Amino acid sequence: MSRVLVGVKRVIDYAVKIRVKPDKLGVVTEGVKHSMNPFDEIAVEEAVKMKEKKIASEIIAVSVGPAQSQEVIRTALAMGVDRGIHVEVSGADYELLQPIHVSKILAKLAQEEKVDLVILGKQAIDDDANQTAQMTAAQLDWPQATFASKVEKTDAGLTVVREIDGGLETIKCKVPAVISADLRLNTPRYATLPNIMKAKKKPIKKVTPKDLGVDTAPRIEVISVEDPPVRQAGAILPDVDTLIGKLKEGGHIK
Amino acid sequence: MLSRCSRAFTTAHQFRRLQSTLVIAEHNDKTLTPITGNAVSAAQQLGGDVTVLVAGAQCGAAAESAAKLTGVARVLVAENEAFKGLVPEAITPLVLAAQNQFKFSHIVAGASAFGKSLAPRIAAKLDVSPISEVIAIRSADTFVRTIYAGNAILTFKAKDPVKVITIRSTNFPPAPEGGSAGVEKAPDGDYKTDLTTFVSQELTKSDRPELTSAKIIISGGRGLKSGDNFKLLYDLADKFGAAVGASRAAVDAGYVPNDLQIGQTGKIVAPELYIAVGISGAIQHLAGMKDSKTIVAINKDPEAPIFQVADYGLVADLFKAVPEMTGKL
């Protein structure tokens, strides 16, 4: 029986069309719909499934961020997580917080809470960094099973199927380990109303990076955040012949 | 006073001269993966010497190819059973040993599944913040990357002393052949790890060009309705000599394997010609293909967002238009 730590990040909802701030130093987040990072929902679901299969004994959800991060912890609790830890970082500190800082926080918590497994999403859909799991594993000197699409508990540890460029790869790793969830690992459940009500009673502990001894000094300086170049509007063509003609003109067909 | 000034100048000058980059090669025990060539050309933009590290269970051939890439000053080879499957737990200590010996200012890899797994682990060990999927290099410490599924472009300065970078291959031309670097042994060490063991790979077999380097890509989405119907796209792709890709919807529905997925969480491509068939054009899909030179969309829904980025749109039933096109080519 193992204890599992899952990391959850509050991000702008995946369906929202983001807007760059007029000062060009970030994107507009105020008044914009936020939700749990989709990959983290998959990580939570996997942890809850492990508990249902009696592989996991307790699941702890952690989120690092401003006060509203507690909302995504509540969502995780409603999905079946036992308790939450909110590592509060807000304002300018949060804007410059990088996966290196989060990985140090997660590694510290993994040790303090004596967990056997850390499950994270493979990337957050806001910074698209795809770093935190790998860095957490490195901080702990644990094996990393990134981009997992299947995880099986064996006597010796874990057998993980990973999504790689040319197909799939199977690895075995020892526990304790860090897993990063890919899209096809599972389909996350919806929290039911009774579970949402129950989640309100589950505990969320609040700590700061300082409590954990983690330095969050910025590692980068943002120079600008800008809109990507806009593509020229194209033409709707009447038929296949015209399309072939255009592709010939463009030199795509000889 | 004057001497102090000149000393400061010399230090700055030496610092610039001391720029040196380690590129971590990717290969499959037979050949070098093309993305290594893109990483080498990105490394050259950083200034300074470029060293390529080739690690593997069998990597002699890959090391020879790396030595031929223009701009490579030195190739370090580490051939060891420990590197079977290129597990990051074994390669990281090797990179750290090389870093210890040569004190590189930059460590670069391609932003492939391999590079994405490895680079952050190395960066954490060096206590630096890794820099993911760079699309442009402004200077030795200033980089450009996309955030929010390619909907914003972030330019930033990295403050850490060593920069660990992955580069997006479609933004850097491959380094041409024509070099003749010396090949040396990488620092020796006990790199065997029992943390992770490589078991097997199941690679999707295909005669078509590799997706991320293909000149033409024909991609299918939910509109294809079944895996069998993808044959329509394969037939058309054969006429073009094109690679075939897919949207997440097509992958999730089981029409095609996941390694064909193009998008924010799949592969990023930028071919000369991208033909999107039965793909609506969700933000997450556009993130993976909107830098294509020419985009063609074939979709029966005139409101589909894909038409907003397409150079040429055909509002038509793909089951009629695609075979017609195949027949006429």
Coordinates of all heavy atoms in Angstrom, one line a residue, chain A residues 18 37 43 75 140:
Chain A
I18 N -7.3 33.1 -25.0 CA -6.6 34.1 -24.1 C -6.3 35.4 -24.8 O -6.3 35.5 -26.0 CB -5.2 33.5 -23.6 CG1 -4.3 33.2 -24.8 CG2 -5.4 32.2 -22.8 CD1 -3.0 33.9 -24.7
N37 N -5.9 22.1 -14.5 CA -5.1 21.7 -15.7 C -5.6 20.3 -16.1 O -5.6 19.4 -15.3 CB -3.6 21.7 -15.3 CG -2.8 21.3 -16.5 OD1 -3.0 21.7 -17.6 ND2 -1.8 20.5 -16.2
A43 N -4.1 12.9 -13.7 CA -3.2 12.4 -12.6 C -4.1 12.1 -11.4 O -3.8 11.0 -10.7 CB -2.2 13.5 -12.3
T75 N -11.7 20.5 -6.0 CA -12.1 19.6 -7.1 C -11.5 18.2 -7.0 O -12.1 17.2 -7.1 CB -11.7 20.2 -8.5 OG1 -12.3 21.6 -8.5 CG2 -12.3 19.4 -9.7
L140 N 14.5 14.4 -6.0 CA 14.4 13.2 -5.1 C 15.3 12.1 -5.4 O 15.4 11.1 -4.6 CB 12.9 12.7 -5.1 CG 11.9 13.7 -4.5 CD1 10.5 13.3 -5.0 CD2 11.9 13.6 -3.0

